[in-house]
Amino acid sequence: MNTKLVLFCLLFICPLLTHSQTLTPEQLRADLAYFRTALNEVHPATYRYTPKAKFDSLYAAVAAQLNHPLTQHEFYVTMTPLLVALRDGHIKWLLPGKDEHYPFFSDKLFPAKLYFLDNKAWIVGNYGTDTLPIGAEVLTINDQPIATVLRKLLPNMTFADGNTKTGKYEDLNHFFSGFYATYIGAPTVHKLTYRAGDVTQTVELPAVSLAAITTYNERHKPSPQPAHRVTFNDSTRTAVLTIERFWTENNEQKFNTFLAETFRQIKAKNVANLVLDLRNNEGGEEKYGVWLYRYLAQKPFRYYERIRVRQKKAYSFPAWTPKLYRMFRWLAVRKRADGYVFTKQTGLKRHSPQRDAFGGKLYVLVNGGSFSVTTELAARIHADKRATFLGQETGGAYEGNSSGIFTITQLPNSKIDFGIPMFGYYMANLPAGLQTGQGIRPDHVLTPTINDVLSGTDRTMHYVRQLIWANQEAALKR
């Protein structure tokens, strides 16, 4: 699903409540009930990863906390465990008009950019005027060890399907200051202890604004490149196909045209090794994944086994849903013995490989930022044993996700926008032995170190090139 479109739609109602105003217990319980009603009528797979009994128990625990007045911020945080329990990285829980990662604070933000790996963190950038040593390891933030900070933040982060965690770490690396302010605190001064070489030092730094973070990010953006691109190395008969997102902007070449031209070149150049780089591709339009796999498949295939929807009738609460879906749901939604399914999707059909489909060795690069449509494509490739995978586990789940189009509603008292994915995608012909909620796990796990990050070294790309070279050398000796 195109995340930009979803976020645009979620701003359709103006905020009517400031986060410092309090809500009565009656208002809070009414919003909790509204939340459950919306979830029950819209979400296609509420209990895919959390059994109903466990979810009901958590719901009761949240309800028990709504026995005294809370601010909008306090209610937002109190409700977060229910969002996390869905284990659905597409779910949206936003304040209208606010940045999704900085919902309550546009100032009082942590002043450094950090890189997290396991239970450690390092300084990789400065948002404020105070300069911290780049590459120094952060030991504590406001007197809390990094491991403690992570134990508080990770359980409140929703960018993950199933039991995956790599997407959460990707989010931390980009938006730590926002998560810290929302779920731990937003002091005007942050106390930081770090170690640089053999020297350990504690400093106090003034908080920064979101404007300062945005300015830093703009200044350090990588040089622009086409989102869909291919490069060739004739000496190793290798092509690297990079797909940064599965949608096209108005000024870009149509994706189908790009694929046709790219694979004609691959065939003409007699490419033996294709590296498909899907890292940090959070998805887009489902049909793009199907189109691309037709150029990679070696035999006819089905992409999706089914697409679940919750119901066919109109909702009992006010909500925004795409007009096109409302017009055609009577034709596209069918009732089966096990519930309702959506039938008008190209991935449900049986497809044959394209004429210029690539038949050589395929290598796929993924990481925690590989999500949604990208994980679906990776799952199809992996299930068909079509490629060697390198990098980190995907942020999306192997067996499918809930995404597609969204229903968007606003809780009446707290004025929080709730965006619920309507389609439950289930991948076809999955391998036996999958662990529930796992992502696509690479054959070669390669995690960037802090030295890789600071030096700009692409560990995974370097490794796959060495692997291709080694395979070619081995082939020559046979």
Side-chain angles (χ1 to χ4, degrees), residues 49-64:
Y49 300 114
T50 300
K52 185 177 185 302
K54 185 175 181 180
F55 191 89
D56 289 347
S57 176
L58 181 59
Y59 182 88
V62 170

Side-chain angles (χ1 to χ4, degrees), residues 20 140 212 257 311 329:
S20 60
T140 66
T257 303
Q311 63 177 23
R329 69 174 181 264

Side-chain angles (χ1 to χ4, degrees), residues 268-305:
K269 289 177 175 288
N270 196 26
V271 167
N273 307 285
L274 175 60
V275 179
L276 176 59
D277 191 350
L278 299 175
R279 292 172 297 174
N280 301 313
N281 181 335
E282 292 186 16
E285 296 190 42
E286 289 81 7
K287 61 185 178 183
Y288 281 36
V290 180
W291 292 346
L292 176 50
Y293 191 55
R294 290 192 65 198
Y295 284 97
L296 303 173
Q298 301 297 285
K299 59 184 179 181
F301 66 92
R302 286 191 67 207
Y303 203 75
Y304 300 122
E305 192 276 323

